[in-house]
Amino acid sequence: MTDIPIVEAFDLCRRDAERGQVLLQPASFSLHDGDRVAVTGPSGSGKSVLLRALALLDPLDAGRIEWHGKPVSRITMTHYRRNIAYIRQRPAVLEGTVEDNLRYPYTLHAYRDVRFDRERARSFAERAGRGDDFLDKSASELSGGEAQITALIRVLQLAPEVLLLDEPTASLDPESSHAIEALVKTWLDSADARRASVWVSHDPAQAARVSDRHLTMRAGVLDEVTRPAAPPGPQDNQREDTR
């Protein structure tokens, strides 16, 4: 892990322009190579607002973001968004096949320097428990879990540095949820690049599985949770009983 974070946020603040309500109280946050962060909190607490602010998808009312120690500018914005990828809860799926959906980003100007690799995409699908025929499946036939897997592969194949996952398994069945978790874990465990994730979840058990850092949000306030000490093992209990 390097000393310079991949992403560092300084006093980010967001307000509802119409109502004047503060959606995100000034929040500072750093994300280093290898970090796996979970964010939990009640609905409406600002979790999605935080992720979208980190992705620079919405304008900030205050604060700034640095990427590899340098402020994100208009010149570097496109490259930043290419590397700091936001995955929403219900992704849009285009008409055609799964492969058509995976090929779509390569038609955009921002990705003119890379080409679609079917074998790599097939490998991602396999890690999510999908067979060789998955890429040929019609998008109209996809279940909610398969649509989310498609959207995730569409991002992962572009080799981002950070995944900002906004409740990607909400409303999915357990099998699909675990497939998404497995795919993200495999991607994070790859040692060939700097990678980190921020995962918003309502499920405490999932948050524990996918993270080594835990943040909470309430009323737009971001806090970091200190993980509790591990419970005493059988030998510790035995020592206590003999005292």
Side-chain angles (χ1 to χ4, degrees):
M1 182 181 294
T2 63
D3 292 332
I4 300 176
I6 299 177
V7 174
E8 189 163 15
F10 299 88
D11 296 324
L12 300 189
C13 183
R14 283 276 292 128
R15 294 183 178 86
D16 185 310
E18 294 184 359
R19 295 179 295 170
Q21 178 186 358
V22 177
L23 304 175
L24 177 63
Q25 300 284 351
S28 297
F29 170 75
S30 62
L31 189 69
H32 289 81
D33 178 25
D35 277 354
R36 304 178 188 204
V37 180
V39 183
T40 61
S43 297
S45 60
K47 302 183 300 296
S48 295
V49 176
L50 172 66
L51 258 59
R52 291 185 62 85
L54 290 172
L56 289 177
L57 295 176
D58 297 327
L60 299 174
D61 291 287
R64 74 181 194 280
I65 290 178
E66 290 187 358
W67 180 37
H68 297 291
K70 298 180 180 179
V72 180
S73 66
R74 289 185 179 182
I75 296 174
T76 59
M77 179 71 76
T78 298
H79 200 44
Y80 177 84
R81 287 176 175 165
R82 175 171 168 169
N83 280 278
I84 313 302
Y86 175 78
I87 310 291
R88 63 181 183 174
Q89 183 176 337
R90 295 182 178 85
V93 178
L94 307 174
E95 293 182 0
T97 65
V98 169
E99 181 171 332
D100 291 332
N101 275 267
L102 301 184
R103 284 182 175 274
Y104 171 71
Y106 298 93
T107 67
L108 304 176
H109 181 73
Y111 300 102
R112 66 188 183 281
D113 59 323
V114 288
R115 293 184 178 182
F116 175 71
D117 184 337
R118 181 181 168 89
E119 180 56 29
R120 187 161 182 257
R122 188 203 62 76
S123 177
F124 277 127
E126 183 179 21
R127 294 171 196 171
R130 296 305 181 267
D132 291 339
D133 60 344
F134 182 66
L135 268 62
D136 299 317
K137 191 170 184 178
S138 172
S140 62
E141 299 175 356
L142 298 179
S143 66
E146 290 174 330
Q148 187 62 282
I149 289 171
T150 299
L152 186 54
I153 295 174
R154 190 166 57 195
V155 169
L156 295 183
Q157 68 181 349
L158 301 171
E161 293 180 335
V162 174
L163 288 183
L164 303 175
L165 300 135
D166 195 354
E167 296 190 66
T169 62
S171 303
L172 298 185
D173 60 89
E175 180 182 353
S176 295
S177 296
H178 286 298
I180 295 292
E181 290 180 24
L183 185 53
V184 172
K185 184 179 186 301
T186 299
W187 175 80
L188 285 167
D189 287 343
S190 177
D192 61 351
R194 302 185 72 192
R195 290 175 179 172
S197 65
V198 182
W199 190 310
V200 166
S201 179
H202 274 297
D203 180 356
Q206 181 184 65
R209 287 194 303 270
V210 303
S211 73
D212 51 30
R213 287 177 61 193
H214 185 189
L215 306 178
T216 62
M217 291 204 70
R218 185 173 296 274
V221 177
L222 179 68
D223 284 312
E224 185 140 7
V225 177
T226 301
R227 287 191 179 277
Q235 293 180 346
D236 296 321
N237 290 333
Q238 188 175 10
R239 291 191 194 101
E240 291 178 1
D241 292 340
T242 58
R243 287 175 184 171

